[in-house]
Each structure stands twice: as C-alpha cells, then as structure tokens.
Amino acid sequence: MPIGTDDPDVHLAWILDSLGLIRRRGQGESVEDSRGALHRLMRDQFLAEPRRGWDTRTLQEASGMSSTALHHQLVKLRSAGILSVVTEERWKHHVLRNGSLPHTIELIANQARTILGQRLAAFDNRIVKSDERMVLEALQQGAEDLSFRITIAESGPMNEGDDELHHLMRDLGYCGARGRIEDDLALRTFDVLANSLRPITADVLMDETSETRTRVLGVLDRFRASHMVERVLLSDRIPHDVFVGLTHQWVSRGERWLMGRGGLSRLDDVVSTTIIDALKQNQLTTETVENVLNNVDLEARCLLVNTLGGRVPYGYRLAGADAATVKRRIEYRVERLLRRLEMITEKYADLIQ
C-alpha cells in the first residue's frame, strides 16, 4: 500500500496494479517503476475529465498512442470494469463508469463480491470434509512467499456435459495466463487435494496426475496465491529424508564431504560425532537419526536435508476442513483487498482535487 506519500501518481499506480492491469517486468520491480501507457492514459485523459466521453480518434490525438496500442489498453480497462462504452451515431465513446474513480471502484468491488460468492458455490459438493487435513500448522496464513492474485470473472458459455468446476479453474486464473480449455491439470490437482484427508506432497500429485513437477508446482503456486491452498512442513518425514541423504552421501562421498558441504559440521559436535560413528559401524537407522536430531531446531534440520541433496518435505492441502471454510478464506482475502482499494481510491480522489 502507498504509505507515507501524498504523491497521486503512486496511489494511482497502486490501484492499477491491484486490479491486475500492470504487468511487471520482474519480481524486483516496484509499483512505481511499472508506470506506463495505461497509467498515463488514465491520469491524463479519463481521470482529468472523468465525465467526458472519449472516442478513439480523440484519444489517439490526446495520448499520442497508436491505434493498436490504444485498442489494447481500452480492452484491458473495459474488461476490468473501469470504463463503459456508449454508442452515439457511429462513434463509440469510452467513459469512466459513473463519472468518478471512487464510484467506479465501488461498482467493481460490489460486482466482484457477488460474482465470487456465486461461482465458489461449485466447491460445495467437491471437497471432502477432513479435520485431520488441518492438524499441522501452516507455514503462514495463505501464501507465505507469493503475492495474492486471483481472477474474478463471470461464467462463460458451457457445452452440455462440461464440468462447471473446470470452467471455474480457468476463469479464476488457475490454468495460467495462457491456459487452454482442454488443459484440465488444475481441475485434476484440485480433485486430488479435495479428496485427500491430509496434506500431500508434490510427488504424490505428480503420480496422481501423471504430470511433470514444473507443471504441478505451477498450478500449486497459483492455488496458493489465491489462498485456496496452504503449504505445510511435514516435519515427521525429516528424519527419514536425512537418513536417506546420509547413507547415500556416505557411500558416494565419505566422511569428509559429510562434515564439510554435507552440513554436519554446522551441528553440535555430539550430534555429528554420533551420526558419523553410527555410519562407520553400519548401525545408522531412521530411529537413530530421529533421536539425535530431537534437540536440533527445525530450521537447522530443514537445512540439513537440503545440504545432503534432498528436498524439504512440504505438503499441500486445501485451506480448510470443508468447502465452506475454503470459500471463506478466499472471500476474506478478496474482501481485504477490495476494502484497501476503496480506501486508497478515496484518498487519491482527495489528493487530485
């Protein structure tokens, strides 16, 4: 959020970015760095004269944009619900909805709430209730390393026999920006998670869907970005993963590597010595590893899994024990964003007056 500044451009950039209208070049690019043609078109034309109807010829002359670039930006603004089109004689006039940005955002917010609530009803009969699913604590509420993102769109045309949930997966953006209608990986991944009574790993999802790790993780990241899915640490699997890594690296590279790049030297001397002695005597077991690592903090255990060449055992689950809870999680996060949008838009309107 634009905190600590009264620059109207910063507020407008945040509003457009929150509506998903700005495509950033990289993860490190800030909202301020992403200002471009769309930002200038909104600021210099539609917000400078909010009640004026703009035809494309006049907009081209005022903005200096090519007809192709202008058409692209107008499509984005209409799709987001910012502009409406009024046809007079043979000219189409583009106008800010209801004549002010706060009114426009209020319309968009109310429409988004209604559409999302109606469309998430498709979850009702697809999610198996399971309290066991929620026993482990999530790494963080929602997506701990991803920016919140969801597409809210009305239902489009469906053919007889089409799965409504499959269309919902596509319309909410879970199939990706260029998702094909025949690509049902998001639906299949959702069904596996919805029928699982406990968190499951990406490897299980790969087996169930017969897809590559890259594609499965892509779908999971989009699920997590909308707070529909949470990632949890399967800490009970760490001793086994450490045992597998230790025994493999002991045979392949030996004691010196384990103490160096293998990460054992980062642990207490008692821990590393106990492990090395057990390996030398061919007596290392999963139970031994579990007992030795019992007093090692969780972060250090996760790091040891990585330094031994393994993957930290993360599990994925729906963000609720039942459909109602999952829907509330998504709706809560959307409502939080919409309220921020309304607040920042009101402040922006005050700043430009």
Side-chain angles (χ1 to χ4, degrees):
M1 288 181 64
I3 299 173
T5 177
D6 287 333
D7 184 352
D9 271 350
V10 174
H11 288 72
L12 179 58
W14 187 89
I15 292 168
L16 296 176
D17 182 65
S18 297
L19 289 172
L21 294 172
I22 305 299
R23 178 173 291 182
R24 303 190 195 179
R25 294 184 179 88
Q27 290 290 335
E29 186 180 39
S30 67
V31 173
E32 291 81 359
D33 295 333
S34 62
R35 302 175 197 170
L38 183 66
H39 183 104
R40 294 190 296 272
L41 184 65
M42 283 292 295
R43 180 193 62 197
D44 299 338
Q45 277 75 53
F46 291 110
L47 294 177
E49 299 181 70
R51 294 190 175 275
R52 176 177 176 177
W54 294 85
D55 60 69
T56 53
R57 183 179 62 183
T58 308
L59 275 174
Q60 273 187 261
E61 294 173 354
S63 65
M65 299 172 64
S66 67
S67 59
T68 302
L70 179 61
H71 173 75
H72 176 65
Q73 303 299 350
L74 290 176
V75 168
K76 289 166 65 175
L77 291 172
R78 290 198 304 267
S79 299
I82 291 177
L83 300 182
S84 59
V85 179
V86 179
T87 303
E88 295 180 358
E89 296 180 353
R90 65 189 184 92
W91 290 102
K92 291 183 177 180
H93 292 85
H94 303 269
V95 61
L96 197 66
R97 290 177 72 188
N98 272 9
S100 76
L101 191 57
H103 290 165
T104 301
I105 296 299
E106 183 180 1
L107 287 171
I108 292 173
N110 289 333
Q111 189 175 19
R113 293 181 182 105
T114 301
I115 293 173
L116 185 65
Q118 292 174 350
R119 300 218 62 191
L120 290 183
F123 287 177
D124 288 344
N125 299 319
R126 301 294 285 261
I127 298 177
V128 175
K129 182 176 181 180
S130 171
D131 293 327
E132 186 180 356
R133 182 187 296 142
M134 306 304 295
V135 170
L136 294 177
E137 184 177 351
L139 292 177
Q140 185 174 326
Q141 182 84 6
E144 71 279 1
D145 56 347
L146 298 171
S147 299
F148 177 73
R149 184 175 183 84
I150 190 172
T151 303
I152 300 176
E154 298 178 32
S155 179
M158 293 177 57
N159 298 320
E160 185 176 353
D162 283 358
D163 190 330
E164 181 181 355
L165 190 57
H166 175 37
H167 283 262
L168 178 65
M169 294 288 112
R170 183 191 62 176
D171 293 342
L172 293 186
Y174 295 142
C175 296
R178 300 180 180 178
R180 305 183 306 274
I181 185 61
E182 64 271 14
D183 185 359
D184 64 347
L185 176 58
L187 174 63
R188 289 184 284 132
T189 304
F190 176 86
D191 278 337
V192 175
L193 291 167
N195 288 282
S196 175
L197 301 181
R198 57 188 64 86
I200 54 178
T201 64
D203 291 333
V204 172
L205 287 165
M206 288 165 56
D207 292 339
E208 292 289 338
T209 60
S210 301
E211 289 286 354
T212 63
R213 176 177 294 275
T214 300
R215 294 201 69 211
V216 168
L217 289 178
V219 170
L220 289 172
D221 281 348
R222 289 190 285 272
F223 283 170
R224 291 171 53 228
S226 70
H227 290 216
M228 183 177 74
V229 165
E230 294 174 332
R231 189 168 64 164
V232 299
L233 179 62
L234 304 178
S235 56
D236 58 325
R237 293 188 49 174
I238 290 179
H240 174 72
D241 291 350
V242 171
F243 167 76
V244 171
L246 286 169
T247 52
H248 173 72
Q249 300 296 356
W250 174 261
V251 173
S252 302
R253 292 169 171 166
E255 178 181 349
R256 185 175 179 180
W257 188 92
L258 284 177
M259 291 300 297
R261 298 186 64 182
L264 287 184
S265 60
R266 296 187 178 95
L267 306 177
D268 291 341
D269 290 342
V270 175
V271 174
S272 58
T273 301
T274 302
I275 291 174
I276 293 297
D277 289 345
L279 285 168
K280 288 179 177 179
Q281 299 170 23
N282 199 26
Q283 294 180 350
L284 188 69
T285 63
T286 301
E287 290 75 16
T288 303
V289 173
E290 184 175 8
N291 292 332
V292 170
L293 297 181
N294 194 40
N295 294 323
V296 176
D297 67 80
L298 188 58
E299 185 177 351
R301 281 180 275 168
C302 292
L303 180 60
L304 184 60
V305 173
N306 285 330
T307 56
L308 290 172
R311 291 191 179 97
V312 176
Y314 291 121
Y316 298 86
R317 69 180 182 203
L318 293 180
D322 52 29
T325 306
V326 174
K327 290 192 294 184
R328 282 198 301 271
R329 289 285 182 89
I330 299 174
E331 289 171 338
Y332 168 78
R333 190 59 183 83
V334 169
E335 181 64 26
R336 184 179 170 190
L337 175 60
L338 293 177
R339 290 188 178 184
R340 287 181 175 180
L341 262 174
E342 292 171 330
M343 179 181 69
I344 297 301
T345 304
E346 290 288 350
K347 184 177 180 182
Y348 173 78
D350 292 339
L351 290 172
I352 63 175
Q353 284 180 355

